[in-house]
Amino acid sequence: MDLEEDEDVEDHDFLFETVMNAEYEHFISLLGHDGDGDRHRDGGGVEDGDRNGDGDGDGDGVVHSTDDFNFNPSVPSLHTYLGDVEDTRHRTAFLDGGSVVNLPLFRLQGVVLFPGATLPLRVIEPHMVAAVERALSQADVPYTIGVVRIHRDTANWRMKSASIGTTAEIRQYGRLQDGSLNVVTRGQQRFRLRRCWKDADGVPYGEIEIIEEGLPLKTPRDVFDELGPSSARNSGDKVTGKSDHEIRSNLNEAETKDSRSGSCSTSENQSCKGEELNDSFGNTYAYSSNKISRAFWPHWVYHMFDSHSLAQRAADMWKKIVGVPSMDSLVTKPDIVSFYIASKIPVSESTRQELLDIDGIAYRLRKEIELLESLDIIRCKSCQTIIARRSDMLVMSSEGPLGAYVNPSGFVHEIMTLHKANGLDLVGRRATEYSWFPGYAWTIAHCASCRTQMGWLFTATDKNLKPRSFWGIRSCQVA
C-alpha cells in the first residue's frame, strides 16, 4: 500500500528534483575532458568497438571475459568519493517487533533499502541536515533514521510513499565546509509507516512500527519417514482424488491471498496457511494408525515452506546465475539470505519494493527464486527497448551486481553493473571527478529510443586496469 503525500510536499519534491538535475547537468558541463572528450553519440546506439575480442578496441568496447579482471571490487563499497568521514563507533540495538517510535524520515526516490544493505547519503538541504543532527542526538533511538521509497504516480502525478520502509543506522558521517553532510548508513529493521509529518523547523518525521520478523521454518526430521506420502498411497487410505497440480494451485492461490492481504502475521503465516490448505486438500491423505490421527501434506509442501531448504536453493541459483558474492556461509541463516538477495538482485525498484513488503522468510525466498529463474532480459522502463541480458551482468563491487551510490547533488542511484549494453547513446564528456569506481571515468548514457537517462558508461583511466569499461544502469529505469 502507498501513502499519498500532501500537495506542498509534492511541489517541493518536484521543484527540488528539477533544480538539482539542472545543477548536476551544469556540474557535468563544467568538467574538462582528459583526452577523450568529444564522445557524444547522435544516435544508432553505442558503437560495438571490440566487444567480441579480448581487447577494448577503440576504448569504448567492453571485455566479455571476467577472467580478464584486476579491479579491486572491495573499493566501491567504501564510497571513497565521499571524502573523509568519521566512524560514529555506535551500534544501535535492535528494537522489539511491534515497537512504535518517531524517527527523522528520509523519503528517497528510486531507492529501496533492505536490512543489512549499505546506503550512502549526500545531505545538502538545511532541513535534512537538521534531520541527521536530530538522529545523532535523539535519546530513545540514537543514530537511526527511517528510509522509505517514494515514487511518482503516473495517473495523477502525485508523489506516493511506500508503506513499508527500513530503519538505517548512521555508521559514518562527515561535515563539509558548506555545512552539508556526507553520511554512510546501514539498513537495520523493516517498519510500517503509520504517518508522517514535518515539525516546526521543517524536519520530516515518521511514526513507524517495527515489523516482527518470524523465525525460519524447518521441516521436522521425521516427517518423511513416518508421514511420507508413499505410505498413504500404499495404505489405500487416500480419501480424495485431487492431483498434485490441483493442490499446488490451491496452495498458490492461498499464498497470493495471504501475502496481499497481510492478514496473518509472520509468526502466524504457517498456521494460517495450514488451515487454508487443510480446507483445500479436503483431508487428501489420512491414516487409521493410532500414531497418525490427522491429515498431513505431501513432502513437497513441507519443502515449499522450509526456509533452510529454500535458502540453500536460492544460494545455489545465485551462484549459478550471478556468481559472486558467494552466500555459502549464510545458508544456515535464511532470514539474512532472503534480505541479502533482495538487496542485490538486479531487478526494477518496484519489484524490489514488493520483496521488502513480503512478510515471511519462506515467501520472500520463494519469490526470489522465481525472479532468479525468470531473470533474462533487461529493458528500458519507458520504451521497453532491450538494454542487456542476464549473461551481460558484471560484478564490480564486493556487495554484488547492484548497489547504491550518491551523486554530488544528493541523488541516490541504485545501479546494476553490466559488461555489455545495447541501444544506449553517450551524452557529453567523460569525467573523473566523484567517480563511484576509482580508476574509472564516467559518461552519461541515454536510451537511444526514448532519451531517458539509463545510467553511465565507466571507462578505465589506467591502461592496465581491467575491465577496460563497463556500464552502470539505474534500477529505477529498468522495466
Side-chain angles (χ1 to χ4, degrees):
M1 183 184 71
D2 292 328
L3 302 179
E4 196 168 274
E5 302 299 329
D6 294 334
E7 286 288 353
D8 59 336
V9 175
E10 172 195 355
D11 293 341
H12 175 272
D13 287 340
F14 180 71
L15 178 61
F16 178 64
E17 178 182 350
T18 303
V19 172
M20 288 294 101
N21 279 333
E23 289 185 358
Y24 191 38
E25 293 293 337
H26 180 62
F27 167 80
I28 294 168
S29 67
L30 293 177
L31 293 175
H33 66 84
D34 51 1
D36 194 20
D38 298 323
R39 301 198 302 143
H40 176 80
R41 310 293 164 79
D42 292 326
V46 177
E47 297 171 2
D48 287 334
D50 187 33
R51 283 180 177 159
N52 295 324
D54 294 329
D56 71 329
D58 60 0
D60 295 340
V62 179
V63 178
H64 271 245
S65 173
T66 55
D67 294 334
D68 203 8
F69 190 105
N70 61 12
F71 177 71
N72 184 355
S74 65
V75 175
S77 61
L78 300 176
H79 300 280
T80 55
Y81 56 90
L82 291 176
D84 293 333
V85 289
E86 298 180 3
D87 194 324
T88 61
R89 302 187 183 281
H90 180 89
R91 297 297 176 261
T92 303
F94 279 81
L95 298 172
D96 293 333
S99 299
V100 177
V101 295
N102 296 334
L103 291 178
L105 190 65
F106 278 68
R107 301 176 307 114
L108 301 179
Q109 211 167 351
V111 177
V112 182
L113 179 64
F114 285 86
T118 299
L119 174 66
L121 297 171
R122 173 102 174 84
V123 188
I124 301 174
E125 290 290 286
H127 65 284
M128 299 311 297
V129 172
V132 173
E133 293 172 341
R134 299 272 183 90
L136 294 173
S137 61
Q138 60 193 359
D140 50 350
V141 194
Y143 294 84
T144 303
I145 60 175
V147 176
V148 67
R149 168 184 173 253
I150 60 172
H151 67 282
R152 192 172 296 282
D153 188 343
T154 56
N156 56 22
W157 206 240
R158 294 177 64 90
M159 297 302 296
K160 288 187 175 181
S161 291
S163 60
I164 304 295
T166 303
T167 62
E169 181 185 59
I170 298 174
R171 294 291 184 93
Q172 297 173 308
Y173 77 101
R175 187 181 298 276
L176 280 66
Q177 291 183 349
D178 61 2
S180 62
L181 299 175
N182 288 336
V183 181
V184 179
T185 70
R186 185 179 179 85
Q188 291 288 94
Q189 293 175 275
R190 292 192 307 143
F191 65 76
R192 289 187 177 87
L193 181 61
R194 298 171 55 142
R195 65 188 183 96
C196 51
W197 71 95
K198 290 185 178 180
D199 68 6
D201 298 322
V203 176
Y205 273 91
E207 181 183 76
I208 68 168
E209 179 182 357
I210 300 297
I211 296 175
E212 183 173 0
E213 307 289 355
L215 297 175
L217 300 175
K218 192 171 185 178
T219 305
R221 289 179 178 274
D222 60 351
V223 71
F224 298 140
D225 293 337
E226 298 188 32
L227 302 181
S230 60
S231 302
R233 294 189 179 100
N234 293 335
S235 68
D237 287 334
K238 187 172 179 179
V239 297
T240 73
K242 288 192 176 182
S243 66
D244 277 3
H245 175 73
E246 291 176 305
I247 297 173
R248 287 177 188 268
S249 297
N250 290 333
L251 180 66
N252 289 332
E253 290 175 3
E255 178 191 348
T256 301
K257 174 183 176 183
D258 179 58
S259 62
R260 289 181 178 176
S261 65
S263 57
C264 300
S265 67
T266 303
S267 59
E268 295 170 342
N269 273 339
Q270 182 71 356
S271 61
C272 293
K273 193 65 62 187
E275 294 173 4
E276 294 183 13
L277 285 174
N278 279 331
D279 291 340
S280 61
F281 284 6
N283 292 329
T284 303
Y285 300 112
Y287 289 87
S288 57
S289 167
N290 291 331
K291 188 173 184 180
I292 306 171
S293 59
R294 62 184 178 86
F296 67 97
W297 304 336
H299 66 90
W300 53 262
V301 176
Y302 290 97
H303 279 303
M304 292 177 77
F305 296 99
D306 185 330
S307 299
H308 293 265
S309 174
L310 290 168
Q312 183 65 64
R313 182 181 171 190
D316 290 342
M317 291 188 66
W318 180 270
K319 180 185 294 185
K320 179 180 179 181
I321 296 172
V322 182
V324 293
S326 173
M327 283 178 285
D328 292 343
S329 61
L330 302 178
V331 293
T332 58
K333 301 175 181 178
D335 52 340
I336 295 179
V337 171
S338 74
F339 286 132
Y340 191 89
I341 293 179
S343 68
K344 306 303 177 189
I345 189 168
V347 294
S348 67
E349 61 165 314
S350 58
T351 300
R352 296 175 68 243
Q353 181 66 53
E354 291 175 7
L355 291 174
L356 184 65
D357 292 346
I358 294 176
D359 288 337
I361 300 169
Y363 303 123
R364 188 179 302 109
L365 285 168
R366 287 180 59 194
K367 181 62 176 178
E368 290 165 355
I369 291 172
E370 177 186 325
L371 289 172
L372 287 170
E373 289 175 337
S374 62
L375 181 61
D376 184 27
I377 295 176
I378 299 172
R379 296 178 182 271
C380 170
K381 183 175 70 173
S382 300
C383 67
Q384 300 299 308
T385 295
I386 296 178
I387 302 299
R389 296 185 178 276
R390 181 179 72 185
S391 57
D392 298 324
M393 285 190 299
L394 177 67
V395 178
M396 290 296 296
S397 170
S398 58
E399 294 192 343
L402 187 145
Y405 305 89
V406 62
N407 72 17
S409 295
F411 285 97
V412 180
H413 295 283
E414 289 183 330
I415 66 169
M416 56 186 74
T417 47
L418 309 169
H419 70 74
K420 177 182 176 182
N422 303 297
L424 301 179
D425 287 345
L426 299 182
V427 180
R429 299 177 175 180
R430 75 173 187 172
T432 56
E433 297 185 31
Y434 219 82
S435 178
W436 300 328
F437 299 89
Y440 287 88
W442 50 269
T443 309
I444 291 178
H446 284 184
C447 175
S449 299
C450 66
R451 311 310 302 166
T452 299
Q453 184 188 344
M454 294 299 298
W456 302 264
L457 173 66
F458 292 87
T459 53
T461 56
D462 182 346
K463 64 180 181 180
N464 296 319
L465 190 60
K466 299 177 182 178
R468 296 297 300 149
S469 58
F470 63 94
W471 300 86
I473 303 299
R474 302 163 65 199
S475 67
C476 64
Q477 294 302 328
V478 171

